[in-house]
Amino acid sequence: MRLAIIGLVLLVAGGVTVATGVLPWHEVAVLVDRVAPILAFVVAMTVVTELVSEAGTFQWIARRLRRWGRGRGVLLWLLLALFAVLSTIFLSLDTTAVLLTPVVVTVARQAGLPVLPSALTTVWLANTASLLLPISNLTNLLAQHNLGGISPAQFARLMWAPSLAAIVVPLVFVAVVFRRELRKTYALDSARPAPGPTSAAAPDRVLLGASAVVLVLLLPALVSGAAIWIPATAAAVVLAAFFAIRRPKVLKVTLIPWSLLLFTCGLFLVVEATQYLGASVLLGQVAGEGSGFVELLRLAMTGALGSNVVNNLPAYLLAEPLAGSPVRMAALLIGVNAGPLITPWASLATLLWHDRLVRMNVLIKWKGYAVLGLIVAPLTITAAIAALAVVGPGGVFG
């Protein structure tokens, strides 16, 4: 509800800038042409992931992970981290925050292990692991468009090294800080299946199988180079058809993320107006120019600072005109994707993650979260920029 209210306020504010002529209509038309396919993809993927979760797919995977952990806390944690990485890369960071967080908390509780290491791992990887593919983060989709619509494979070639660094650093940090908790063991025979939307009754094998097949076919389609909203929409329609036959009560208008849409549309409009008024020029004095290691780090840190002050989406949009080359665009993405680890509002994924924790009575103190974030965020960004500088286009050091 808060997100919807903020979105409505932003939308009204943006509408005022258009009505008063501050933001010309032709700029609005260009903005709509750019973001409409992206928002269509976001809606379709939200429906897909919600229905996949309703079918029990995530819970089915979680039960296998607990078994594969073989009673060792550190192995279970690594498997959950791998799940978070794959979920973020192929289904987006918000999917990881919304759907994986309850699974991770439940698995940790039922194994009798501390929740905090796995919970922090989930939210940090939801942000830092979202660098590899355009579909991993909304900022990546915007960057892909800005880079001339490069293919997912080309995007991955640009981002694979910083993406790997951004995954490894938070994992090493958690492994060091929570080493005592991760050394604990658990009894396999004491675990029970993780509860979820379908836990009241035995999972519908038809829906479970259909969800698995749809995911298997969807993931390569999303990285095939085709307009991503097309396979995502097709997958949503197919799953909706299965649910219409097997469990029609699940198909509700609430499957569509109305609050997120309202917030995103309003934010796009307001940021476009501030850009038109020259905000990006002022930001350029802070972000600097050039493609050397120091200059790239400066741009990334600017994006990270903006993300933690306001939010990573407006931070990206305001700094986008400053990224005039692929390597600088990659640096900006490192800042706005891997940097939002300090404040709760830095990314929508963090807010969604915290909301799920509150619903499951898991207490996270924002002061402690910020302290850890102030350590791990700069380390992650620096390592990712170093990786980009070494193996990026041309290699800044080479």
Side-chain angles (χ1 to χ4, degrees):
M1 181 59 71
R2 292 179 185 176
L3 195 64
I5 294 173
I6 295 173
L8 183 60
V9 171
L10 290 172
L11 202 57
V12 170
V16 170
T17 65
V18 176
T20 57
V22 173
L23 181 62
W25 275 105
H26 67 86
E27 294 290 344
V28 178
V30 172
L31 179 65
V32 171
D33 180 65
R34 179 184 183 186
V35 304
I38 295 175
L39 293 181
F41 165 76
V42 170
V43 171
M45 280 304 297
T46 300
V47 172
V48 168
T49 51
E50 289 288 352
L51 293 180
V52 165
S53 180
E54 284 288 344
T57 306
F58 284 90
Q59 287 71 32
W60 183 88
I61 295 173
R63 287 195 292 271
R64 268 70 189 168
L65 293 181
R66 189 171 56 243
R67 186 182 306 164
W68 295 339
R70 299 180 180 179
R72 299 170 59 190
V74 65
L75 181 56
L76 179 60
W77 169 71
L78 287 172
L79 289 170
L80 290 172
L82 177 61
F83 192 6
V85 168
L86 295 177
S87 171
T88 300
I89 290 174
F90 293 104
L91 297 176
S92 86
L93 74 168
D94 295 332
T95 295
T96 299
V98 173
L99 300 179
L100 187 57
T101 300
V103 174
V104 167
V105 171
T106 302
V107 169
R109 280 177 170 172
Q110 292 185 344
L113 300 173
V115 171
L116 185 58
S118 295
L120 281 178
T121 299
T122 300
V123 70
W124 283 350
L125 289 178
N127 287 285
T128 65
S130 65
L131 284 168
L132 185 62
L133 294 176
I135 61 174
S136 306
N137 199 320
L138 181 56
T139 55
N140 296 0
L141 291 172
L142 294 169
Q144 182 189 29
H145 183 279
N146 185 266
L147 291 170
I150 62 175
S151 70
Q154 292 172 318
F155 191 95
R157 280 198 294 272
L158 174 66
M159 300 301 298
W160 74 266
S163 177
L164 182 60
I167 291 170
V168 170
V169 172
L171 287 177
V172 171
F173 186 86
V174 172
V176 172
V177 173
F178 297 99
R179 57 189 178 278
R180 292 183 180 178
E181 290 85 348
L182 296 176
R183 288 173 184 167
K184 295 183 178 181
T185 59
Y186 63 94
L188 288 173
D189 57 0
S190 65
R192 297 179 180 178
T198 59
S199 61
D204 187 318
R205 293 185 178 275
V206 173
L207 292 179
L208 190 60
S211 298
V213 171
V214 167
L215 282 180
V216 168
L217 295 177
L218 175 60
L219 297 184
L222 290 174
V223 297
S224 66
I228 56 175
W229 68 270
I230 297 177
T233 302
V237 171
V238 170
L239 282 178
F242 273 98
F243 272 86
I245 298 172
R246 307 288 297 189
R247 292 177 60 199
K249 292 183 179 180
V250 171
L251 300 178
K252 303 176 182 178
V253 293
T254 52
L255 286 175
I256 298 176
W258 300 109
S259 296
L260 177 59
L261 282 178
L262 195 61
F263 173 78
T264 305
C265 290
L267 194 60
F268 274 130
L269 202 55
V270 169
V271 172
E272 185 71 18
T274 58
Q275 279 184 326
Y276 195 75
L277 292 174
S280 296
V281 177
L282 296 176
L283 189 62
Q285 299 177 6
V286 178
E289 300 177 350
S291 298
F293 173 76
V294 175
E295 289 79 10
L296 293 178
L297 185 61
R298 182 178 173 182
L299 175 59
M301 289 298 184
T302 300
L305 178 62
S307 298
N308 286 288
V309 172
V310 282
N311 178 269
N312 66 333
L313 186 55
Y316 168 81
L317 291 172
L318 288 174
E320 186 185 61
L322 309 177
S325 66
V327 71
R328 282 184 61 82
M329 179 62 75
L332 175 58
L333 288 177
I334 290 170
V336 299
N337 289 13
L341 306 180
I342 303 169
T343 59
W345 55 81
S347 75
L348 178 61
T350 303
L351 291 173
L352 295 172
W353 167 79
H354 184 256
D355 177 68
R356 291 304 185 273
L357 293 182
V358 170
R359 294 185 187 188
M360 301 187 75
N361 297 316
V362 177
L363 177 62
I364 295 290
K365 294 182 179 180
W366 286 121
K367 182 179 179 180
Y369 179 87
V371 169
L372 292 176
L374 281 169
I375 300 172
V376 73
L379 290 175
T380 302
I381 292 171
T382 302
I385 290 295
L388 174 67
V390 171
V391 304
V396 176
F397 294 149

